[in-house]
Amino acid sequence: MTTSAPPTVVIPATPSSREILVRLFPGVKPPPSLLAPGRVPNCGPEATAALLKALRITTSGAMSFSTSSVSTIHRLLAIHALGASAPVINASYEDTHLDHLRVAFVAPNKVTITDDTFTDYLGNDHYYNAYLDYFHRVVLQPGANISDILEKYIFSSHYNVRTPKQGTEQPEMLNRFLEILIHPIIHVGYGAEFGIMGLIAEGLAWTSVHPAGATTPITRLLFTQRTTPISELEKQEPGWMPKAGLRLRALNILTLMVRDPRFFGNRTLDKHEFAAMLESHGEIFVKYGELWDCQIETQEDLEARMEELIWAAMLMYGVGSWDGNEAEYRADFFTAHIVTSVLFIPTICRYLSRESQTKLLRAHFLTSITWWVVHGRPSFALKDFTSRPLPPVPNAPSSKYSNALPGILPTPAACALSSTTPYAGNANPWYAILADALVHPNEHLCKVHREAGFVLESLSKDGVDVNPEYGYLDGSVFLRTAWLTTAALGWVTHGKENTGAWNYQEFQKAALEELELMKGQGRA
């Protein structure tokens, strides 16, 4: 997303008092459930103190709405969860975060958001601080809790579609929650995981100023009835599509979508085509979303459907970015956000009713398949992807990326277990992967690896009847993906430079060109 330029007249926001900051960011709580991602022990209380200091400084009035600045906050939280020491957290904040900060400013005309004016300024990032003030009041109310706040402001009908319409915009807060590469849910997810109400307030304010554009099918799927006639494109539906009322598993749906000729081959759409696609193909996406067998009534339902989401996310990014052992790993930046956001589904669901859990999972799946189609709808060559040896077992010399760590490695003592095998120097590849992620200058790498390393490891074979490739799906997909991603971006702990090799493709190129044009016109 291109963050808009500040107003012509900028009035700096008044920093929050120390007392308020301590209430908003009081400390770090343990994960709220066993299904939430685990954490790596850090080096003592100094790490948490460094994290809270950075969060409080950022929120005290220094930061306004900015995708890049919030993304680096996510990095601080991710590396803390991965066990970073205080010096590493401080370095992450000072070396990468400060460059992205924008001065927080008062909303135009000093607008104050109230319950009555809530919908009047939605989607306009000039009003971020006004929404932040509103949600600060919400989370600091006596008795305020995460469950009630999320149920009201994200999942209730009143904050999605109002009949009759009130104000200038329909709230569509669940849409906005999953907008712009699914960032708002990540921010709220960190708040829910760490028990930090200040992050909840920021995430909801950020949600409020996101547009309701790329995710418009969510409202259609979950909150409204269809009012438009069937399009000519819908009439071209393949004869093999399931009959109305049939429900499928998520992986089966991906297989059907790969076959559907109404999409765009394996071509990545540019930014302008994306908007047009939502108009032309919106109801097709809704139909695929309706096919998913996702109705949460028990804890077993929730765990099974979350598992499907996690596998689907890793397929879309991890296997979908792979073009063979000898090819460069594409590390698709956009589908990577499907991975980094699905990490928080178990945490957020801990605070939701069964009805809202169903809405969240359905909305996330619909958003995920939309981004996957936009980025070429790659198929999943699982047999080939899982056939190569797992690190640290040597792979073919012709492979683009070696299964061995770069550089000269220490020679294990003869008494070391497996001293004559690669495992003596790299007994568990995850240690090397996560250690590199902690200090890698790329702020997204640690987030991908946290999801890949701390997710459910059970596996359902549902889908094999539809696509035999799913028979090769196993937990090694997570390690293979993490190893390839690190190799593509550079093993900085082993002397390699940061390549920054996320594949932004034409979609991001168009966005950057638009930003440069706006800068030339003095509008950014």
Side-chain angles (χ1 to χ4, degrees):
M1 173 186 178
T2 300
T3 304
S4 64
T8 305
V9 178
V10 173
I11 302 174
T14 302
S16 301
S17 69
R18 173 176 171 74
E19 177 189 0
I20 293 297
L21 289 174
V22 170
R23 292 176 63 193
L24 291 170
F25 299 91
V28 172
K29 294 183 179 180
S33 79
L34 294 177
L35 296 178
R39 297 182 194 164
V40 177
N42 54 40
C43 302
E46 293 82 5
T48 298
L51 173 67
L52 292 174
K53 179 181 177 181
L55 295 177
R56 290 169 182 170
I57 290 174
T58 300
T59 303
S60 67
M63 189 196 76
S64 182
F65 168 81
S66 166
T67 301
S68 55
S69 61
V70 176
S71 184
T72 48
I73 290 177
H74 299 169
R75 180 192 185 183
L76 296 173
L77 293 156
I79 63 174
H80 180 276
L82 292 174
S85 63
V88 172
I89 291 173
N90 289 332
S92 175
Y93 179 77
E94 294 167 3
D95 294 348
T96 63
H97 186 61
L98 294 178
D99 292 342
H100 297 321
L101 286 179
R102 291 177 56 185
V103 175
F105 53 84
V106 174
N109 300 317
K110 298 183 180 181
V111 161
T112 297
I113 302 298
T114 66
D115 291 345
D116 293 335
T117 62
F118 187 89
T119 62
D120 291 348
Y121 306 97
L122 291 171
N124 188 333
D125 60 357
H126 287 178
Y127 295 86
Y128 169 76
N129 250 62
Y131 280 102
L132 183 60
D133 288 343
Y134 174 87
F135 281 110
H136 278 171
R137 297 193 298 273
V138 169
V139 302
L140 292 176
Q141 287 178 352
N145 63 79
I146 295 174
S147 294
D148 290 345
I149 291 170
L150 295 184
E151 289 284 0
K152 176 178 179 178
Y153 288 103
I154 298 298
F155 296 98
S156 70
S157 295
H158 187 68
Y159 280 89
N160 281 280
V161 176
R162 298 179 179 181
T163 305
K165 182 180 176 181
Q166 301 171 9
T168 59
E169 294 270 353
Q170 285 286 12
E172 297 190 82
M173 287 292 281
L174 184 53
N175 270 4
R176 301 174 198 276
F177 195 51
L178 291 158
E179 259 288 357
I180 310 302
L181 279 183
I182 330 180
H183 276 113
I185 186 179
I186 295 174
H187 205 82
V188 171
Y190 276 118
E193 179 192 342
F194 285 81
I196 299 177
M197 296 299 272
L199 293 176
I200 298 289
E202 290 175 356
L204 293 176
W206 203 29
T207 299
S208 302
V209 299
H210 271 61
T215 52
T216 48
I218 291 176
T219 294
R220 165 67 185 86
L221 175 67
L222 299 174
F223 294 102
T224 64
Q225 299 295 318
R226 180 168 187 167
T227 58
T228 58
I230 297 176
S231 68
E232 290 300 316
L233 194 61
E234 290 176 85
K235 293 177 182 178
Q236 299 171 25
E237 179 177 286
W240 43 256
M241 280 290 286
K243 296 180 180 179
L246 188 63
R247 296 293 178 261
L248 302 175
R249 295 289 183 252
L251 300 189
N252 297 2
I253 294 171
L254 298 186
T255 296
L256 295 180
M257 294 184 73
V258 167
R259 295 174 57 192
D260 196 326
R262 293 173 295 176
F263 292 118
F264 310 92
N266 59 0
R267 182 173 66 86
T268 298
L269 304 187
D270 66 28
K271 182 177 181 180
H272 308 292
E273 290 177 303
F274 184 28
M277 182 205 69
L278 292 174
E279 292 290 331
S280 62
H281 289 69
E283 287 295 336
I284 296 175
F285 282 109
V286 168
K287 181 160 187 177
Y288 276 114
E290 289 172 338
L291 281 175
W292 190 26
D293 183 13
C294 180
Q295 184 63 44
I296 309 302
E297 296 178 352
T298 66
Q299 183 66 17
E300 290 74 21
D301 290 341
L302 175 63
E303 293 179 17
R305 301 295 86 79
M306 286 194 301
E307 181 182 316
E308 289 184 45
L309 273 187
I310 290 168
W311 284 114
M314 191 53 65
L315 285 173
M316 292 182 205
Y317 167 70
V319 185
S321 294
W322 185 76
D323 297 320
N325 286 328
E326 299 179 10
E328 184 171 339
Y329 190 69
R330 286 183 286 108
D332 184 87
F333 181 77
F334 292 83
T335 54
H337 283 76
I338 301 173
V339 169
T340 58
S341 60
V342 79
L343 176 72
F344 297 101
I345 297 295
T347 294
I348 295 175
C349 282
R350 161 67 178 77
Y351 295 99
L352 301 180
S353 65
R354 296 300 187 206
E355 179 183 0
S356 295
Q357 289 171 350
T358 301
K359 289 177 181 177
L360 179 61
L361 268 63
R362 283 191 170 280
H364 192 280
F365 181 65
L366 185 56
T367 303
S368 300
I369 59 177
T370 303
W371 279 111
W372 173 58
V373 168
V374 168
H375 280 264
R377 194 180 36 146
S379 57
F380 314 120
L382 276 163
K383 181 178 180 181
D384 292 337
F385 187 74
T386 58
S387 66
R388 72 189 206 283
L390 272 174
V393 176
N395 53 348
S398 60
S399 298
K400 175 68 176 178
Y401 306 106
S402 173
N403 276 2
L405 292 168
I408 301 174
L409 303 179
T411 302
C415 62
L417 299 180
S418 301
S419 61
T420 60
T421 74
Y423 291 98
N426 190 9
N428 184 339
W430 278 114
Y431 292 149
I433 290 169
L434 296 180
D436 192 86
L438 284 175
V439 297
H440 201 289
N442 189 288
E443 62 197 34
H444 287 89
L445 184 65
C446 58
K447 305 169 199 174
V448 170
H449 288 347
R450 188 170 182 232
E451 196 280 344
F454 294 90
V455 294
L456 303 174
E457 293 189 358
S458 59
L459 173 65
S460 168
K461 290 291 184 178
D462 288 326
V464 175
D465 292 341
V466 174
N467 185 348
E469 287 282 328
Y470 293 146
Y472 298 95
L473 182 61
D474 60 36
S476 74
V477 167
F478 298 97
L479 174 57
R480 297 176 192 277
T481 296
W483 187 273
L484 287 169
T485 303
T486 300
L489 270 71
W491 287 96
V492 298
T493 51
H494 292 268
K496 298 296 182 181
E497 292 296 323
N498 170 31
T499 67
W502 293 110
N503 190 333
Y504 294 88
Q505 299 180 328
E506 293 303 312
F507 190 93
Q508 181 70 0
K509 180 181 176 182
L512 293 174
E513 289 174 349
E514 180 179 340
L515 178 59
E516 289 302 314
L517 178 62
M518 292 177 65
K519 287 180 178 178
Q521 297 172 342
R523 296 189 293 122

